[in-house]
Amino acid sequence: MIRKVVPLGILVVTALVGCVDAGRNPTNARALEPRTYTAPPEPVDGEFVRQLGTSTVYLSYGRVLYGVPDMQTLRACTGGRETVVRDISSLPAWPNRTLPSAGSPQRRPHGNVWMHGDRPVKTSTSGAVYLVVGCVKSGIPSEATYNAIFNGDWSRIVTVDAAALDALPNGPTAQPVPLRRAGTLLESGGTFRWVTFHGGSLGIPDPATMDSYCRPWSDGITSATEYNVYSQRGILQGAGSACQRGDDYPYKNQSYGTYRPGYDDDPWQFWYRECTSFVAWRLNQDGIEFHNYYGDIRWSNADLWDTAASWLQANKPGLGVRINKSPARGAVAQWNSMHVAYVSAVHNDGTITIEEYNRNFDGRFGSRRISATAVDNYIHFR
């Protein structure tokens, strides 16, 4: 493993303000063969399973079942696509272990946010650097491999608790290809794969299965070089239609409409039950430590979010913030009329499903399906 000591910076968060409030469909696109598929009796590496009639979800890897302790951890392990769970009649008699918790994002400190799989990690007792994707850790064998994955940005390394890192299963050695989060669709020659961890993937058996996860063809990243690096570990199972999270905002019972600076601000320094507060909650659920001064720039009211995103895209490209007219699940829909919402699904018919708060200035949750072109801008944090 590579060893390199890198000092970590500290970001101080201050102030507050709230909001006042079509994809490509190639004719040659096809799913991974074979289209007729019988699920194996035993879980495959990188698959999430649950015994029928029970609630505990397990990550299968190396013939060991790793128990998922809470929903936040499941979201971290699956890239926010927690419906990737196959119900089976009985669990195999394999050793059982428990994954560390990714932590609850509404608490400070946020816990093991690194488990969301977008940063290299090491421990204070070892200089070995690992990549964690899909809650599986992969050793980075050389400096050249690290530079290829993270574009030479050594400031991204996070020092984590050794016990938490040791509790993750050991995956294949990291390859010198760009970092892809759990749930990424890689496409080559019209064939798709669902990447669950760095080095392995679950195949897509048919278009209906992919659409059941609210994933359009346009989500696919085309790269024959990367595609050939990932080995197929199994076939993705259908998810039904459970791609939306609903009103799980933790501050729905807070008073709404009484603004007292320094008192009514949420953990991300927006106003409770505003559109900006809800979107900040969603982004933190996805492992993005977003707040009102994310990237050392004030995001402020919702109508100014496009300005903040454009500035970061131009001046801090390493942060990964992008703004464009292309929707994606997990992106922020932004209107210059002072509103933001979370994109929970992108559909193949040119529509999107959004989840939002305070659309009608009532401090309440809502969800609707609208045309993708009805949004002024899409802000991406990955």
Side-chain angles (χ1 to χ4, degrees), residues 54-222:
T54 64
S55 59
T56 303
V57 175
Y58 294 89
L59 165 63
S60 168
Y61 203 91
R63 299 184 69 82
V64 174
L65 296 176
Y66 294 83
V68 181
D70 48 49
M71 181 58 71
Q72 179 61 16
T73 302
L74 183 61
R75 288 171 179 160
C77 294
T78 60
R81 297 173 176 90
E82 59 271 15
T83 54
V84 189
V85 178
R86 176 161 66 104
D87 288 314
I88 58 180
S89 58
S90 62
L91 297 172
W94 294 347
N96 284 6
R97 298 175 186 171
T98 302
L99 293 172
S101 174
S104 178
Q106 75 258 39
R107 293 200 305 265
R108 296 179 184 175
H110 291 327
N112 299 322
V113 175
W114 53 269
M115 287 177 62
H116 288 264
D118 59 352
R119 289 187 178 182
V121 298
K122 69 179 184 68
T123 69
S124 59
T125 58
S126 171
V129 181
Y130 293 88
L131 178 71
V132 178
V133 177
C135 290
V136 175
K137 67 176 183 288
S138 297
I140 302 178
S142 66
E143 186 170 332
T145 301
Y146 181 98
N147 289 335
I149 297 172
F150 297 104
N151 198 28
D153 184 0
W154 288 87
S155 67
R156 298 185 65 177
I157 296 179
V158 178
T159 301
V160 305
D161 178 68
L165 187 62
D166 290 344
L168 301 182
N170 290 303
T173 301
Q175 301 297 310
V177 294
L179 174 67
R180 302 298 183 194
R181 280 175 170 259
T184 297
L185 287 170
L186 283 179
E187 180 266 341
S188 179
T191 299
F192 284 81
R193 281 180 176 168
W194 174 297
V195 178
T196 54
F197 50 88
H198 207 77
S201 62
L202 297 179
I204 311 295
D206 52 59
T209 297
M210 186 167 76
D211 195 50
S212 75
Y213 290 92
C214 300
R215 307 298 297 279
W217 295 113
S218 57
D219 267 10
I221 297 171
T222 301

Side-chain angles (χ1 to χ4, degrees), residues 233-272:
R233 302 300 178 112
I235 300 292
L236 185 69
Q237 304 302 301
S241 58
C243 62
Q244 297 179 56
R245 302 177 194 172
D247 188 8
D248 57 356
Y249 178 66
Y251 304 110
K252 64 183 73 176
N253 295 321
Q254 287 283 349
S255 61
Y256 168 74
T258 303
Y259 303 137
R260 289 171 289 176
Y263 183 79
D264 282 327
D265 56 314
D266 65 19
W268 313 287
Q269 300 183 314
F270 296 103
W271 297 114
Y272 286 123

Side-chain angles (χ1 to χ4, degrees), residues 246-303:
D247 188 8
D248 57 356
Y249 178 66
Y251 304 110
K252 64 183 73 176
N253 295 321
Q254 287 283 349
S255 61
Y256 168 74
T258 303
Y259 303 137
R260 289 171 289 176
Y263 183 79
D264 282 327
D265 56 314
D266 65 19
W268 313 287
Q269 300 183 314
F270 296 103
W271 297 114
Y272 286 123
R273 296 173 64 183
E274 293 278 359
C275 62
T276 48
S277 178
F278 176 74
V279 169
W281 155 248
R282 273 286 183 266
L283 293 174
N284 275 267
Q285 278 188 307
D286 290 346
I288 300 160
E289 296 180 82
F290 180 78
H291 47 75
N292 198 15
Y293 276 72
Y294 184 78
D296 295 320
I297 186 172
R298 186 181 182 185
W299 287 73
S300 192
N301 297 336
D303 60 330

Side-chain angles (χ1 to χ4, degrees), residues 321-340:
V321 177
R322 296 172 292 112
I323 181 169
N324 54 35
K325 305 294 183 182
S326 302
R329 186 177 189 271
V332 174
Q334 187 265 343
W335 287 265
N336 294 324
S337 56
M338 203 170 289
H339 189 58
V340 288

